[in-house]
Every structure is written in C-alpha cells, then in structure tokens.
Amino acid sequence: MKLSVIIPVYNEERTIAELISRVKAVKLNMEIIVVNDGSVDGTSRILDTLDGITVINKKNGGKGSAIREGITAVTGDVIVIQDADLEYDPNDFVMMLDVMNKQAADVVYGSRVLHEGYEISYRRYYLGGKLVTWTANLLYGLNITDEPTCYKMIKTDLLRSLNLQCSRFEFCPEVTAKLARRKIKIVEVPISYFPRTIEDGKKINALDGFEAIWTLIKYRFVR
Ligand SMILES: Nc1nc2c(ncn2[C@@H]2O[C@H](COP(=O)(O)OP(=O)(O)OP(=O)(O)O)[C@@H](O)[C@H]2O)c(=O)[nH]1
Ligand SMILES: [Mg+2]
C-alpha cells in the first residue's frame, strides 16, 4: 500500500523544511504532495530547494481548497493530511496504517485526546475542539474523541468519492459528516501532539470553530 501525504501550506517558512524532512524520515512507501496555497513569505523559495516532493502552487483559497487540489494529484492508495507545522509527529503514520490494515478500516483518525499526557496550548482551543467533537457525536451518533484532528487517514477512492466542497478549515467537519452519513466506521488511535502558539503561526480561530459546527449541522439536515 502506498501512502500519499498531502501537506497544505500557507506562510510556514519557519517550519516547512523541518516538517518535510521529518515526513521523509518515516520508513513507508509514500509520496509527499505539498500544496502551496499562495504563500507570500519565504515558503515558495524554500520549497524550490527541496527534492523528492511534488509541489502544487495555487492562489490562496484556504486549507480545504488546498487539500482538494492535492487530492486530484494523489497516486497512492491511502491519503493522510499533514499540516505544515510541527504540531503532529509523522512517525504516527506507521501505527495508523498498521491499524488500518489490521482492522480492515477505510478511515483512521489520530486522536490527541486518547494520548496519555495530552498537552493543551490554550484552554479555548481545547474546549473548542471538545465542543466540535461533542456536536459531531450528537448529530451523527458517533463516539469519537477528537473530530478536528489533522491526522485523518482515508482510503483514496473513498475520500475522492466524498465530493468535497470545503475551502477553509471546514475540511474536517465536512469529511466527518459525509463519512458518518454513509455509516462508515471511524477507527481512532492515540497520537502525540505538540501544540503551537499564535506567535508560532497558528492560524485557526474562534470563527473557524463556529464554521465547523455550522458545517456539521448543514450536512446533517441538508442534502
Ligand atoms: N490559515 C490558513 N491556513 C492554511 C491556508 N492554506 C493552507 N493552510 C495550512 O493549514 C494548516 C493548519 O493551520 P493551523 O493554524 O496550524 O491550524 P490548526 O489548528 O492546526 O488546524 P487544523 O489542524 O486544521 O484543525 C497549516 O499547515 C497552514 O499552513 C490558508 O489559506 N489559510
Ligand atoms: Mg496546525
């Protein structure tokens, strides 16, 4: 099985090179697709110097639009989303893929909450994540612990068939909602998490949290 790692990136000059070298260090059959979402800092220049990756340059449209563009270029059997920061540990791909194979699952989510010693950056992000997860469980009868996790590993054919419409951070709730509507099982595994601060470049905010909840409601009640 070949893993396709999609990395949406917008203005991450401080972390992109280190992140890509960490992903490359993972011993798996994989391809790395970096979607540069109209970065205006040094990101593009850094990407030009790196080899062994596929780079797609596009006009800025948000994380969801970047991922959708990335999906069209994938040649692997399984896709995982990797942010261009250092909040997650790509070594967790190995275990996630293993669980996917052993449990014959189509979808594996890495849960930060299930990991012992879960680190919290800001209380509001933690609570926001909890609220989004709780809403997803309530609306779709799920029983997951970390809906907004970046580490969503999904079979390529399945992810393509979801016909995603998202542009920004509503990627996560749209995927979860559409999987749940089809009654596709989401297997969760514990993953490590090293939260970054807003000064470090974290971009998501409270409005994105409300948009996530609205997206969950929309796909629950509207076709
Ligand atoms: N804000 C923003 N981020 C983008 C855009 N395009 C791609 N990204 C990338 O999306 C990723 C997530 O941004 P973060 O600010 O770390 O947000 P987060 O809280 O980790 O968000 P999630 O993991 O998506 O829940 C980063 O790798 C960004 O570089 C864009 O247009 N705007
Ligand atoms: Mg992040």
Side-chain angles (χ1 to χ4, degrees):
M1 276 226 286
K2 178 169 160 187
L3 179 67
S4 297
V5 183
I6 298 181
I7 307 179
V9 53
Y10 177 64
N11 293 350
E12 305 283 5
E13 63 182 4
R14 280 182 284 181
T15 52
I16 187 69
E18 169 64 17
L19 183 267
I20 289 172
S21 85
R22 288 189 194 181
V23 174
K24 280 182 179 168
V26 180
K27 300 244 171 321
L28 282 175
N29 174 20
M30 72 179 167
E31 66 178 353
I32 301 172
I33 298 172
V34 182
V35 187
N36 181 11
D37 195 28
S39 294
V40 292
D41 67 350
T43 297
S44 311
R45 194 175 32 76
I46 295 166
L47 287 174
D48 282 343
T49 68
L50 302 176
D51 51 16
I53 56 172
T54 302
V55 179
I56 300 171
N57 289 296
K58 67 185 278 294
K59 214 173 85 217
N60 183 253
K63 179 175 176 175
S65 75
I67 293 172
R68 287 200 286 129
E69 187 95 26
I71 292 171
T72 64
V74 159
T75 67
D77 313 289
V78 178
I79 294 173
V80 71
I81 311 303
Q82 168 70 64
D83 278 358
D85 53 49
L86 305 174
E87 295 188 295
Y88 293 74
D89 179 0
N91 288 305
D92 284 331
F93 295 161
V94 178
M95 174 262 308
M96 289 176 73
L97 207 54
D98 199 47
V99 167
M100 179 172 259
N101 286 327
K102 288 205 171 115
Q103 301 200 22
D106 289 327
V107 180
V108 176
Y109 280 15
S111 169
R112 297 165 288 183
V113 178
L114 289 179
H115 191 264
E116 241 176 276
Y118 173 36
E119 235 188 283
I120 299 167
S121 54
Y122 300 95
R123 214 182 154 72
R124 60 182 190 277
Y125 280 122
Y126 172 75
L127 292 174
K130 277 239 175 274
L131 180 64
V132 173
T133 302
W134 179 80
T135 307
N137 286 337
L138 182 78
L139 290 176
Y140 296 91
L142 298 172
N143 190 21
I144 56 178
T145 62
D146 189 5
E147 192 291 318
T149 177
C150 171
Y151 273 10
K152 292 180 164 67
M153 185 176 274
I154 305 176
K155 295 263 168 78
T156 302
D157 294 342
L158 174 59
L159 188 55
R160 285 201 169 125
S161 77
L162 297 183
N163 185 25
L164 298 177
Q165 307 294 318
C166 54
S167 326
R168 293 172 301 275
F169 291 111
E170 351 74 278
F171 168 80
C172 283
E174 183 179 359
V175 167
T176 302
K178 287 181 167 178
L179 292 172
R181 281 188 70 139
R182 290 208 209 159
K183 304 268 182 275
I184 290 163
K185 188 165 182 240
I186 298 171
V187 175
E188 280 191 315
V189 295
I191 53 155
S192 35
Y193 183 57
F194 311 90
R196 64 173 174 170
T197 62
I198 291 159
E199 298 77 54
D200 288 337
K202 198 166 181 73
K203 300 176 184 70
I204 203 160
N205 61 41
L207 218 61
D208 300 308
F210 288 116
E211 188 169 34
I213 289 171
W214 167 243
T215 303
L216 288 168
I217 294 171
K218 187 177 80 179
Y219 284 107
R220 173 64 180 79
F221 298 106
V222 185
R223 260 249 161 248

